[in-house]
């Protein structure tokens, strides 16, 4: 007598049929400690993401519609915080590596769609004044609306002919321009610039510059290091300080600007997919840029939820290349006048 052989429908196992979902993993069945160790975040934070992204992740046009938003978010968080699609991560929530990759793509795009909701400069006067007050409290530097700098994230080579992503160290990377406040909350993040571009060129071409020059921020400025040109809205350190006032200005500038370096370390430490310890991001420059931006959105959301962790430096292989730039001194007489007035008014 012939014994019928059951043929398993792999697509059914992975994706379900119609609008059914597969409940592979339940948050309520595990501890917060487990969630943090596996996915980097506690239960309530993950529930918040489910509420925030659920509608986008349940779109019927997506192939992975049968994987619940909760499972997709866990898969993406697992990748962002570990930098790996390792089997144990997929096994923990019951999906394959291929499904993990699709979940990361879905969640990344959902977060990128909401970037402007979570990454922006304050608009009302009270919030702007609070921003300045917080910075002034760090080292006595007045009028600061944010600190700006660039950091590189390693990516795979797009193709043999495209050298625009090769940085000074001979590695392929994206040069990411970011601004943060005194707590490390990101106010601006442009993550798509090719690694061959020096920081000053990135800023020159960035939407950030257009914003500050068109909005005419006469009541404050950003702080940038010596890789940038002095501008009316961007205060840089003096190349060779000579007077006590100039030394005090440079010291206050350095202590305040250090916030962005700590923020970069925090982001790399929390989102290990960016720190290079698991290798480069194995995506096109566009998709890699979106992953970086998605991590920036999660960074800000985590600060909103009180997950405020100033981390020690990440141990990854890909840190920002040491720029061998020349000192950028501005020929903008108005910018020089503003910096000199700042020196005389606040540091003399």
């Amino acid at each position: 007598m012939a014994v019928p052989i059951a043929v398993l429908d792999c697509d059914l196992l992975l994706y379900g049929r119609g609008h059914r979902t597969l409940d592979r993993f339940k948050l309520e069945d595990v501890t917060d400690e487990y969630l943090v160790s596996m996915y980097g975040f506690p239960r309530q934070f993950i529930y918040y993401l489910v509420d925030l992204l659920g509608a986008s992740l349940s779109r019927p046009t997506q192939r992975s519609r049968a994987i619940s938003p909760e499972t997709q978010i866990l898969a993406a968080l697992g990748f962002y915080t570990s930098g790996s699609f390792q089997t144990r991560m997929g096994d923990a929530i019951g999906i394959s590596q291929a499904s993990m990759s699709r979940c990361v793509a879905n969640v990344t795009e959902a977060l990128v769609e909401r970037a402007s909701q979570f990454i922006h400069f304050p608009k009302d006067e009270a919030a702007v004044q609070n921003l300045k007050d917080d910075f002034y409290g760090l080292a006595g530097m007045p009028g600061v609306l944010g600190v700006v700098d660039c950091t590189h994230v390693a990516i795979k080579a797009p193709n043999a002919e495209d050298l625009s992503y090769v940085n000074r160290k001979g590695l392929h990377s994206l040069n990411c321009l970011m601004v943060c406040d005194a707590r490390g909350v990101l106010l601006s993040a442009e993550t798509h610039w090719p690694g061959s571009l020096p920081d000053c060129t990135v800023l020159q071409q960035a939407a950030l510059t257009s914003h500050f020059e068109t909005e005419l921020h006469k009541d404050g400025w950003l702080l940038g290091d010596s890789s940038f040109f002095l501008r009316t809205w961007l205060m840089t350190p003096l190349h060779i300080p000579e007077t006590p006032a100039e030394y005090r200005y440079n010291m206050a500038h350095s202590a305040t600007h250090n916030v962005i370096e700590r923020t970069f370390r925090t982001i790399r430490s929390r989102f290990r997919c960016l720190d290079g310890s698991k290798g480069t991001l194995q995506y096109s420059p566009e998709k890699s840029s979106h992953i970086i931006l998605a991590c920036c959105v999660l960074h800000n959301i985590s600060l909103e939820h009180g997950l405020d962790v100033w981390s020690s430096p990440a141990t990854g292989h890909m840190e920002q290349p040491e720029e061998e730039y020349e000192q950028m001194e501005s020929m903008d007489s108005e910018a020089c006048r503003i910096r000199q007035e700042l020196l005389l008014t606040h540091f003399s």
Side-chain angles (χ1 to χ4, degrees), residues 308-339:
D308 194 350
V309 181
W310 288 112
S311 302
S312 57
T315 56
H317 304 300
M318 184 61 193
E319 291 294 340
Q320 182 175 353
E322 292 295 326
E323 294 278 2
E324 298 175 3
Y325 51 75
E326 296 180 6
Q327 180 72 22
M328 299 296 180
E329 279 298 338
S330 176
M331 301 305 291
D332 185 334
S333 59
E334 179 63 11
C336 292
R337 184 195 66 77
I338 290 174
R339 185 169 66 180

Side-chain angles (χ1 to χ4, degrees), residues 131-141 144 147 181-183 252 255-259 262 310:
L131 195 62
K132 295 180 186 177
D133 292 344
D134 288 344
F135 275 118
Y136 188 79
L138 293 179
M141 180 69 76
V144 180
V147 289
D181 70 9
R183 278 208 313 127
T256 307
H257 187 264
N258 186 53
V259 173
R262 294 169 69 194
W310 288 112

